Amino acid sequence: MSGSTGCGAGEIAHDPLLPLGVAAGATRRISLGTAITLAFARNPMSVAYQAWDLAAASEGRFVLGLGAQVKAHITRRFSMHWDNPVAQMREYLEALHAIFAAFQHDVPLDHRGRYCAHSLLTPAFNPGPLPDGHAPQIALAAVGAAMTRGRRRAVLGGLPAPLHDHPVHRHRHLPALVEGRDRAVSEKPLPWRLGHLMLAIGDNAEEQAAATERVRKQPAFYGSTPAYVEVLRSIGYENLQPELLTLSKHGRWDDMSALFDDDLMERFAFRGTLEELPQKIAHRYAGRVDRVASYFPLPDYPEERISAFLSAARAAAERPVAVIPSWSRTTFCASPTPSSCSAIGTPNVS
């Protein structure tokens, strides 16, 4: 599809890596990545094998987006270990880089840490090197400043949490990225930064209102998580988080959405026709992020209209911004869940 530069698959109700294997063989130009893969639900060696194979299949277009999730999901849903997520993620990234080095350069594997140890890789189990420039890139999702600082040491890209606002971005994420860069190798550029777009799209007020109600559920869900209290505090809504959390524990999902009022939606979502949105996106994000991606699938409009929107969004930016439509619920899987599969179009999209 003209105007798009990449696609991402999220881990919600489906594994994000499987559809990217299909997409790697169906595309030739766009970047392909996970947004995100849950790191702590898997061991580094398993992730390394999958990332290496996807990088090979896509001829170097694969970006491994990693995130920590929260303790309850890691321990209760996946029955995996959770300790200090920042230290745990730092070691996880170190392990991945050690494994990638062993794959690429056939050096001895000897990573020994507090949370994982990898010290055996015989030739029969080494997939071997990739062509120069084809190794997986790594991007790391972060909500807090500590995780943001840590990602500068070992990753090329940053994936802010889907629920974020400018005060948090300006006063926490960017300073933390700079601090992490200064602690690492200061002459290297900062990781690229991606902004999520929660789009409530419609051709008239009625369609936009219906789309807004669908979108409203997602930021309300994120807002219930204690990790997001800093985001809400930055805009004066700190007391909303415990209310949302209480409702979530009682399964009152619709009531949570009702608490996330229109003023909040203006901060976290974009509402309008497809043609009105590029200027709104550029006003909020140009100069602040390097890439943007739609959190929800775009409407089932004609391809020419979607392509015009993507091109207009890029043209409206003050500097080049990669425009990444979300994966569609129809192309490679049947999930009704946002961000789980690809929305770019047919298997022949480049």
Side-chain angles (χ1 to χ4, degrees):
M1 179 180 294
S2 174
S4 64
T5 61
C7 312
E11 183 159 13
I12 303 177
H14 297 270
D15 187 285
L17 295 160
L18 180 61
L20 294 181
V22 178
T27 61
R28 295 293 178 268
R29 174 182 54 82
I30 56 177
S31 65
L32 305 170
T34 55
I36 58 172
T37 295
L38 302 183
F40 301 160
R42 303 166 173 82
N43 70 72
M45 182 62 77
S46 296
V47 171
Y49 277 125
Q50 292 175 300
W52 207 254
D53 288 346
L54 284 170
S58 64
E59 299 181 323
R61 293 178 289 127
F62 176 66
V63 179
L64 176 63
L66 294 172
Q69 244 296 350
V70 296
K71 181 178 180 179
H73 283 275
I74 297 302
T75 60
R76 295 168 54 195
R77 181 153 64 103
F78 292 100
S79 190
M80 299 291 279
H81 180 68
W82 177 280
D83 184 36
N84 178 329
V86 175
Q88 204 170 341
M89 184 62 77
R90 184 184 303 115
E91 185 178 303
Y92 198 102
L93 295 172
E94 291 169 353
L96 278 178
H97 283 290
I99 296 167
F100 288 166
F103 288 173
Q104 186 69 19
H105 304 295
D106 197 26
V107 297
L109 177 60
D110 188 22
H111 171 80
R112 301 175 190 271
R114 176 181 177 186
Y115 302 105
C116 60
H118 301 277
S119 57
L120 176 65
L121 186 67
T122 56
F125 299 102
N126 190 332
L130 295 171
D132 288 345
H134 284 202
Q137 297 183 47
I138 301 177
L140 182 62
V143 177
M147 188 73 79
T148 302
R149 280 192 297 270
R151 74 183 176 197
R152 176 58 191 93
R153 298 166 182 258
V155 303
L156 296 177
L159 306 172
L163 190 66
H164 65 276
D165 190 69
H166 293 330
V168 170
H169 183 74
R170 286 196 306 268
H171 302 306
R172 292 177 63 86
H173 286 169
L174 283 180
L177 274 175
V178 172
E179 181 181 346
R181 186 267 307 273
D182 292 343
R183 290 181 180 180
V185 183
S186 60
E187 64 269 19
K188 286 190 175 183
L190 293 173
W192 51 257
R193 304 177 304 282
L194 180 142
H196 290 279
L197 308 177
M198 292 193 181
L199 305 178
I201 304 171
D203 285 334
N204 53 54
E206 182 178 356
E207 290 181 1
Q208 290 173 23
T212 299
E213 292 310 305
R214 291 193 297 270
V215 170
R216 194 187 306 271
K217 296 180 179 181
Q218 200 62 38
F221 167 75
Y222 280 119
S224 69
T225 307
Y228 286 91
V229 69
E230 288 295 329
V231 177
L232 295 173
R233 180 182 291 123
S234 72
I235 55 174
Y237 279 82
E238 177 183 0
N239 293 333
L240 180 60
Q241 189 277 324
E243 293 185 62
L244 291 170
L245 178 61
T246 298
L247 291 174
S248 72
K249 289 181 176 180
H250 290 87
R252 295 169 58 184
W253 309 110
D254 290 339
D255 293 337
M256 290 167 59
S257 300
L259 289 181
F260 218 86
D261 60 31
D262 289 341
D263 289 339
L264 277 171
M265 288 297 291
E266 284 294 319
R267 291 179 175 273
F268 298 114
F270 298 87
R271 176 172 172 167
T273 67
L274 198 62
E275 289 71 26
E276 293 170 340
L277 290 176
Q279 288 295 334
K280 295 183 179 182
I281 294 168
H283 177 74
R284 183 176 300 181
Y285 278 123
R288 297 183 174 94
V289 300
D290 308 290
R291 309 178 181 194
V292 292
S294 175
Y295 187 89
F296 295 96
L298 297 176
D300 189 20
Y301 292 156
E303 182 173 335
E304 295 77 10
R305 190 176 178 189
I306 299 294
S307 295
F309 160 72
L310 297 173
S311 298
R314 184 180 305 179
E318 297 172 2
R319 62 188 179 94
V321 174
V323 181
I324 305 175
S326 77
W327 285 106
S328 166
R329 64 190 70 180
T330 57
T331 304
F332 295 126
C333 76
S335 168
T337 310
S339 301
S340 56
C341 281
S342 134
I344 297 210
T346 69
N348 294 320
V349 62
S350 63

